[in-house]
Amino acid sequence: GSLLFGTVGGMLGSVTTLDKPTYHLLTGLQRAISKVVLRGSSKYASIGDFSHGLFRSFENERRMADYRGFVDGDLVELFLE
């Protein structure tokens, strides 16, 4: 199944299930991009030298949860640019 959503800020997003081969392909691509593109002097370098996983993790007053089980479409899209 899929879920398409919009935010009050104008963003559109999609949450969908992937088959295992597609998931492994995209997570591998995501790992490679975060190691190469988001480091150094690239125009996509992270602000404040945060790792991609730390940037995408969840935190509130009661707990913090790691970023896992998701493919970051914004990050994978960098591969297409």
Side-chain angles (χ1 to χ4, degrees):
S2 296
L3 171 69
L4 181 65
F5 64 92
T7 68
V8 294
M11 183 189 86
L12 291 176
S14 175
V15 178
T16 187
T17 54
L18 301 171
D19 58 53
K20 282 190 179 194
T22 302
Y23 174 76
H24 290 299
L25 172 72
L26 293 175
T27 55
L29 181 60
Q30 179 177 277
R31 267 192 310 275
I33 291 171
S34 66
K35 286 180 184 175
V36 175
V37 175
L38 297 182
R39 300 279 182 216
S41 60
S42 164
K43 72 177 184 175
Y44 303 109
S46 61
I47 297 172
D49 201 28
F50 287 108
S51 71
H52 177 257
L54 181 60
F55 174 72
R56 290 294 191 193
S57 63
F58 169 80
E59 182 176 1
N60 67 14
E61 296 82 28
R62 291 186 270 180
R63 68 184 182 107
M64 180 176 181
D66 290 336
Y67 169 78
R68 63 177 177 209
F70 291 91
V71 176
D72 185 346
D74 291 332
L75 184 60
V76 173
E77 186 180 25
L78 292 176
F79 180 74
L80 302 174
E81 291 184 348

